[in-house]
Amino acid sequence: MAKKIQFVETVLRDANQSLIATRLPFEKFEPMLETIDKAGYYAAECWGGATFDVCLRYLNEDPWERLRKIRAKMPNTKLQMLLRGQNVLGYSHYPDDFVKLFVQKAVENGIDVIRIFDALNDVKNMKVAMDATVKAGAIASGTISYTSSPVHTLAKYVEMVKELKEMGASTICIKDMSGIIGPQEIYDLVSAIKDAVDLPVDLHTHCTTGLAYPVYMKAVEAGVDIIDTAISPFSGGTSQPATETMAYALRQLGYQVDLDDACTTKMANYFKTIRDEFIADGTLIPKALATDTQCLTYQIPGGMLSNLMTQLKQMNALDRLEEVMTETPKVRADMGYPPLVTPTSQMVGVQAVNNVLAGERYKRVSKEIKAYCRGEYGETPAPINPEIQKMILGDEQPLTTRYADSLPPIVEPTRQKLGGLAKSDEDVLSYIAFPNLAEKFFEERKAKEENICAYSIVEA
Ligand code: CO
């Protein structure tokens, strides 16, 4: 019997985030939700990542309400979100009570699959979220943040996967955020994982370097069960490979693909017009759709490279770019080879710039790098260079325990503080995640409600 390959559609989350900075409002994708629901996907990735932040910051949407509205229109498809482990949806670690309640409420509001990762692949930072997901009855997808370095061996990834299974992972996800994994590497990695654990494996990559299509083919050959794709008008470049293209290619090779072509065609036609609107207003820039192979030479993800250039330009030092690019892998090695993903990519990049421009390495150190050296982001893949760590910390001793163990509970004090401004636990969670944005949102909501109220009294 032909092996079945399942698909996760990313147009609502990662494709939206990677191509148009997550600016897709609910109204623009609402007309397609019933079609996506009928198309036969394993899951629709639709929440988490940057969607929460952008809903509050730019779209004046309550992210929780968005989720409930998607759920109502998509009763048959699993809804998936991306969660940064102990960072939840933010950039530093939160206390455990917040992580637990956030996961519980995400599931209550409609999430079925939570893809949980940590920027350092430190499973201690994933455990609370994994436990909460299992407890809430959702699917915990234990995720590897893929990177390559002398310490990131197949054996190490396999060890991590076994730990994730132990923690209750129902699926394993390989997350290649920069699109740097090659076809032989993915073949070896998937084979090793499949040998080690009996769990479905999901592959997530980006087309940034152009490797994604051959990588998906080799991954399927090695036994991958689920692939992440985006409907064609939102595919390619910094986004995922196209859904219809992968379905076509896999069927030709004899695999079973249960997608309904009439549905994907309808989706493609619809999202083509949406994409053209975003091209017309300048939100979708041509560079996002291009192939960028520099990353393969410099080992610096595409997004990070453009950040470095912007930063140097602002400092009138664009002529030092070559030096900064040489310095970046050295800083990464000093820091114990972290995968370059939010927030480690920014931290390493800024430090490389500091090292070059100050004319002396680690003379200027950001507070994030200091916190990193203290162990506040977790255990690094390899030890931090001890001399540099000592230089940065002085007499201060790095943590030997999990940082979140030192953080006091935050939910109850915040609930007390907000009083009537928060109408639900979801509001309290939004506030803890993004206090300024949430407060502004609550106040605008209140004003709107009072207006409606006054109006209805007049009407009556
Ligand atoms: Co991604």
Side-chain angles (χ1 to χ4, degrees):
M1 214 177 74
K3 177 170 172 165
K4 181 158 126 182
I5 305 297
Q6 302 205 82
F7 285 61
V8 173
E9 175 59 52
T10 67
V11 67
L12 302 179
R13 208 288 298 176
D14 203 358
N16 169 17
Q17 184 172 325
S18 301
L19 294 181
I20 54 169
T22 336
R23 293 302 198 278
L24 199 55
F26 178 79
E27 297 77 41
K28 287 239 195 257
F29 62 73
E30 184 186 15
M32 272 303 109
L33 291 176
E34 277 148 341
T35 308
I36 301 174
D37 192 39
K38 279 189 267 180
Y41 288 102
Y42 166 77
E45 194 195 39
C46 63
W47 211 63
T51 60
F52 201 94
D53 183 344
V54 172
C55 271
L56 289 169
R57 195 184 298 268
Y58 300 109
L59 303 175
N60 199 25
E61 276 184 52
D62 180 345
W64 300 97
E65 196 185 320
R66 172 187 279 212
L67 173 56
R68 289 189 293 270
K69 290 195 309 206
I70 296 173
R71 177 80 285 171
K73 296 232 163 187
M74 297 185 64
N76 304 304
T77 304
K78 288 196 269 296
L79 302 184
Q80 179 173 307
M81 75 169 291
L82 180 67
L83 191 98
R84 301 172 185 147
Q86 204 72 26
N87 287 0
V88 185
L89 302 175
Y91 307 99
S92 59
H93 287 192
Y94 289 101
D96 291 341
D97 65 334
F98 173 72
V99 179
K100 287 178 195 166
L101 188 64
F102 196 97
V103 166
Q104 184 198 325
K105 289 291 162 188
V107 175
E108 274 177 32
N109 281 276
I111 288 294
D112 303 288
V113 184
I114 308 191
R115 180 176 286 173
I116 301 162
F117 77 97
D118 176 66
L120 296 178
N121 285 326
D122 180 353
V123 291
K124 294 189 289 302
N125 294 335
M126 300 165 73
K127 188 168 190 329
V128 174
M130 296 280 294
D131 285 348
T133 303
V134 173
K135 199 176 154 210
I139 293 173
S141 185
T143 301
I144 293 172
S145 302
Y146 180 79
T147 189
S148 65
S149 86
V151 295
H152 286 88
T153 57
L154 280 181
K156 198 156 180 180
Y157 282 128
V158 165
E159 187 193 323
M160 181 181 178
V161 162
K162 285 180 176 165
E163 283 174 309
L164 293 173
K165 188 184 174 184
E166 199 90 330
M167 285 183 186
S170 305
T171 64
I172 296 297
C173 172
I174 302 165
K175 176 180 162 68
D176 175 21
M177 47 279 169
S178 337
I180 52 164
I181 199 164
Q184 189 60 48
E185 286 163 328
I186 195 67
Y187 186 86
D188 295 342
L189 182 57
V190 172
S191 305
I193 294 173
K194 279 287 179 184
D195 280 345
V197 293
D198 185 22
L199 288 177
V201 177
D202 177 331
L203 176 58
H204 175 93
T205 190
H206 290 254
C207 292
T208 325
T209 63
L211 285 171
Y213 287 96
V215 159
Y216 274 5
M217 301 318 283
K218 288 305 279 184
V220 166
E221 213 181 297
V224 120
D225 305 274
I226 306 163
I227 52 173
D228 284 17
T229 59
I231 199 71
S232 53
F234 273 77
S235 71
T238 53
S239 175
Q240 275 75 48
T243 306
E244 309 96 294
T245 311
M246 284 308 304
Y248 183 94
L250 291 173
R251 279 175 183 148
Q252 187 169 99
L253 289 168
Y255 293 96
Q256 183 190 337
V257 174
D258 288 347
L259 288 175
D260 183 325
D261 294 342
C263 289
T264 52
T265 304
K266 195 171 161 193
M267 285 165 63
N269 289 335
Y270 178 83
F271 280 108
K272 216 174 274 171
T273 58
I274 301 290
R275 178 196 60 193
D276 292 346
E277 284 174 32
F278 281 106
I279 290 175
D281 75 9
T283 310
L284 176 51
I285 53 170
K287 210 175 85 179
L289 290 169
T291 303
D292 181 352
T293 54
Q294 270 184 310
C295 185
L296 299 174
T297 322
Y298 296 109
Q299 296 286 308
I300 300 172
M304 186 174 167
L305 191 63
S306 55
N307 276 348
L308 287 177
M309 286 161 83
T310 315
Q311 220 183 321
L312 287 171
K313 213 167 167 181
Q314 279 166 358
M315 298 164 111
N316 252 330
L318 202 52
D319 58 321
R320 313 292 296 272
L321 182 64
E322 200 68 41
E323 287 166 80
V324 171
M325 286 198 300
T326 318
E327 176 64 10
T328 302
K330 290 184 195 160
V331 173
R332 180 170 174 246
D334 292 339
M335 292 298 123
Y337 297 105
L340 296 177
V341 61
T342 304
T344 43
S345 49
Q346 290 86 335
M347 285 154 58
V348 167
V350 168
Q351 193 56 49
V353 170
N354 282 343
N355 286 358
V356 167
L357 296 190
E360 189 186 326
R361 303 187 79 219
Y362 301 101
K363 188 178 172 193
R364 263 204 318 254
V365 176
S366 70
K367 71 175 200 304
E368 287 81 12
I369 284 284
K370 238 178 219 160
Y372 179 95
C373 287
R374 274 198 300 267
E376 289 180 21
Y377 288 86
E379 196 182 319
T380 52
I384 299 171
N385 179 325
E387 266 170 55
I388 287 161
Q389 192 173 21
K390 178 92 183 99
M391 194 195 323
I392 291 172
L393 292 184
D395 290 333
E396 222 180 321
Q397 286 302 312
L399 283 171
T400 51
T401 50
R402 194 182 64 116
Y403 176 58
D405 288 335
S406 68
L407 301 173
I410 193 172
V411 173
E412 198 44 46
T414 309
R415 203 182 268 138
Q416 300 289 334
K417 180 180 142 188
L418 287 175
L421 199 55
K423 290 181 182 288
S424 60
D425 277 353
E426 285 81 349
D427 281 352
V428 175
L429 294 167
S430 299
Y431 182 86
I432 296 169
F434 300 100
N436 299 335
L437 298 177
E439 197 168 355
K440 188 170 150 268
F441 180 82
F442 298 155
E443 270 155 15
E444 279 171 16
R445 180 178 63 185
K446 198 170 158 213
K448 215 157 79 186
E449 280 164 2
E450 277 164 2
N451 270 337
I452 292 166
C453 199
Y455 183 69
S456 59
I457 289 163
V458 173
E459 280 290 278

